[in-house]
Amino acid sequence: MLNAILLSFFFGMPAIVAVVTARNLTFPPARALMFWGGCVAVALAAVVVIPMLACSGSLMTGYDTCLGNTALGATVSGTLPLQILAGKVYILAGIPLALFAHAANLLLGRKTGPA
């Protein structure tokens, strides 16, 4: 169980950090991309992490029971393709968009400090 908690923390924390640190960006489109992209990333991470913590089994083999209920486990196992897709989109689209937002902010953002 501790492994699942640590994995969910390290999997979901970048999405939360993106939402929280979006206000530090000075270029408005980069700030919007980081905030709203972070909100979508939090939802995608939740789709993957919540069944991982609440159910016995794994993402690759399916879930048996969720919170002691076999019917709920079958329902969650039916959404495995959606969970795998959410994980792929989170990793393959979220990271490049965050890098793009930071690069745009560095190149096009307002300079702060004394002139």
Side-chain angles (χ1 to χ4, degrees):
M1 182 67 179
L2 180 61
N3 289 338
I5 293 172
L6 288 174
L7 178 64
S8 64
F9 175 79
F10 288 116
F11 187 74
M13 191 50 66
I16 295 170
V17 168
V19 174
V20 172
T21 61
R23 68 175 56 195
N24 297 336
L25 301 178
T26 57
F27 187 51
R31 186 180 325 122
L33 179 64
M34 188 63 82
F35 178 78
W36 293 110
C39 290
V40 170
V42 167
L44 291 173
V47 167
V48 176
V49 167
I50 290 173
M52 184 173 52
L53 293 176
C55 304
S56 63
S58 72
L59 186 64
M60 294 299 141
T61 60
Y63 297 107
D64 297 329
T65 59
C66 291
L67 301 173
N69 190 346
T70 308
L72 185 59
T75 303
V76 170
S77 289
T79 64
L80 275 177
L82 175 66
Q83 295 172 29
I84 293 171
L85 178 66
K88 287 179 181 178
V89 169
Y90 175 75
I91 292 170
L92 297 176
I95 294 169
L97 285 176
L99 292 174
F100 175 74
H102 278 290
N105 187 61
L106 286 174
L107 297 173
L108 304 170
R110 296 185 304 270
K111 305 295 185 236
T112 57

